[in-house]
Amino acid sequence: MTWKNILKIEMEEARRLGRKYASEEMIQDDIDKMVRRQKEAIPRLKQLISNIRNKKVQHFGREYTPNSLSSNELSAIDFWLKEFKPYKTPQIKTNMGRKKVIEILEKFISDVEKTHKRHGY
């Protein structure tokens, strides 16, 4: 057995014992980790919203703002929204317009920040 396997087994045992004998502390640690991930994701989502809002495309010498999101933008949104589990995250679809997506994401971020503030995080 390698040291990595031994360490993995020991960590699993430590978690099991922690959940059994110090469940309140383990739950608090889980909440702290979740809030930390969310607080790291909020600025990234805000930057993504800014990029979506300011995107311009050149087409036949004219500059315009496309109405639909690119697949890269959709992937980035999905990636950062996964950090907000177990929150019920908004469903962003390909056929939504940019303005609608921006509204949905800004409202979601505002709600999460209010929740954090209400619970003292």
Side-chain angles (χ1 to χ4, degrees):
M1 189 180 276
T2 67
W3 67 270
K4 290 181 182 180
N5 290 340
I6 293 169
L7 183 60
K8 184 177 178 182
I9 291 169
E10 293 301 320
M11 287 303 295
E12 289 171 0
E13 181 68 8
R15 284 189 191 97
R16 186 185 69 74
L17 291 172
R19 299 236 181 261
K20 182 175 181 180
Y21 295 108
S23 59
E24 292 175 8
E25 289 90 353
M26 293 293 287
I27 290 170
Q28 186 60 46
D29 185 57
D30 292 343
I31 291 170
D32 293 344
K33 287 177 187 175
M34 177 188 67
V35 169
R36 185 179 67 245
R37 282 194 317 269
Q38 291 172 358
K39 285 190 174 207
E40 291 170 359
I42 287 173
R44 304 251 196 298
L45 265 177
K46 286 181 177 180
Q47 181 62 46
L48 189 56
I49 290 169
S50 175
N51 293 348
I52 291 169
R53 181 178 282 126
N54 297 328
K55 183 172 184 174
K56 303 287 184 198
V57 175
Q58 290 283 338
H59 188 65
F60 295 116
R62 301 178 118 203
E63 188 175 271
Y64 72 97
T65 303
N67 187 38
S68 61
L69 296 172
S70 70
S71 61
N72 288 343
E73 291 167 332
L74 284 169
S75 296
I77 291 169
D78 286 341
F79 177 82
W80 288 111
L81 285 179
K82 286 178 186 171
E83 294 297 320
F84 291 93
K85 299 292 181 191
Y87 277 100
K88 182 172 178 359
T89 56
Q91 298 297 314
I92 306 298
K93 302 198 183 338
T94 56
N95 60 352
M96 292 179 166
R98 287 179 174 276
K99 290 180 182 178
K100 180 72 173 170
V101 170
I102 290 169
E103 288 174 16
I104 290 169
L105 290 176
E106 285 177 338
K107 178 164 182 357
F108 176 72
I109 290 171
S110 173
D111 292 345
V112 169
E113 289 176 331
K114 286 177 187 174
T115 301
H116 286 179
K117 188 174 182 180
R118 184 173 52 242
H119 293 288
Y121 298 126

